[in-house]
Amino acid sequence: MLVFWEQRLVILATPKTGSTAIETALAPLASLSVMQPGALKHSDARNWQRFLRPYLRELSGQDFTAVALMREPIDWLGSWYRVRQREDMFELPGSTMGMSFADFIEGHLDTPRSVVADVGCQSAFLRGDDGSACGVDRLFRYEAIGGFVAYLEELLDFAIELPEVNVSPKGDGALPDALRARAQSRLSADYALYASIG
């Protein structure tokens, strides 16, 4: 999470949407950069609305604009699957070494979710404290990150070049049609929010 005081801007770090690259590029400009621990770095929209927004409003006397990125839902799960394929994850409970993407998706759809695929969902991360579907002021598509960068460049008056950091390894994202359709149905809240991004 990054806070820009003069611009009254907060960037929430939706997991697996380039947040490390954004922080690497912009942390030197930010008034506050929260990169560790993960629970603070990835403060969700509910915590933003409930705790951080009122605090910043009280300090500054003005409201802050919160922005975030969202990724196509199955591609987002694919990024979690691939990052957990890394060798440094091999002995951890979340490792996907030796597991197919289809098995990972099945584990995500299970009730309860399998330990390896229990990564939450973007719609829960972005949900407002009042139950609204989106708890940020502006939401951008990760797949069109150029628009997000252009928005920040204009607001911050700074040329931004995002580095390649914390990139998931390449991997097979193939799914049987029936499983993809079932996943899309179960992820309907994510897909509805993703479709609403203008």
Side-chain angles (χ1 to χ4, degrees), residues 37-49:
L40 283 177
K41 170 182 174 172
H42 296 295
S43 290
D44 62 23
R46 284 182 308 287
N47 284 321
W48 155 248
Q49 288 185 336

Side-chain angles (χ1 to χ4, degrees), residues 3-161:
V3 177
F4 299 88
W5 184 262
E6 293 298 324
Q7 294 81 8
R8 302 297 191 252
L9 174 72
V10 172
I11 303 173
L12 296 188
T14 312
K16 307 309 299 165
T17 62
S19 56
T20 302
I22 292 162
E23 288 168 350
T24 301
L26 296 178
L29 299 177
S31 304
L32 175 65
S33 173
V34 183
M35 300 173 86
Q36 293 293 334
L40 283 177
K41 170 182 174 172
H42 296 295
S43 290
D44 62 23
R46 284 182 308 287
N47 284 321
W48 155 248
Q49 288 185 336
R50 189 180 303 160
F51 304 114
L52 299 169
R53 175 172 259 166
Y55 176 66
L56 291 175
R57 187 187 294 134
E58 178 70 24
L59 287 177
S60 69
Q62 296 178 343
D63 207 1
F64 278 63
T65 297
V67 300
L69 286 158
M70 182 180 188
R71 193 169 186 158
E72 193 282 331
I74 289 178
D75 184 52
W76 183 77
L77 289 172
S79 184
W80 276 111
Y81 166 75
R82 292 188 309 276
V83 78
R84 291 176 169 208
Q85 295 256 301
R86 294 187 321 210
E87 288 188 17
D88 61 334
M89 295 284 294
F90 180 65
E91 295 187 15
L92 299 176
S95 174
T96 57
M97 263 308 190
M99 173 185 275
S100 71
F101 184 45
D103 287 341
F104 179 82
I105 293 295
E106 289 282 5
H108 187 74
L109 300 180
D110 281 348
T111 305
R113 287 184 180 136
S114 71
V115 172
V116 70
D118 191 9
V119 296
C121 62
Q122 294 174 98
S123 59
F125 180 89
L126 293 163
R127 186 176 301 122
D129 189 41
D130 60 357
S132 59
C134 188
V136 297
D137 302 294
R138 292 207 52 184
L139 192 56
F140 295 84
R141 289 186 180 194
Y142 170 82
E143 291 76 10
I145 200 166
F148 178 67
V149 168
Y151 168 81
L152 294 177
E153 286 182 330
E154 183 174 341
L155 197 62
L156 301 174
D157 193 26
F158 180 79
I160 299 169
E161 190 168 324

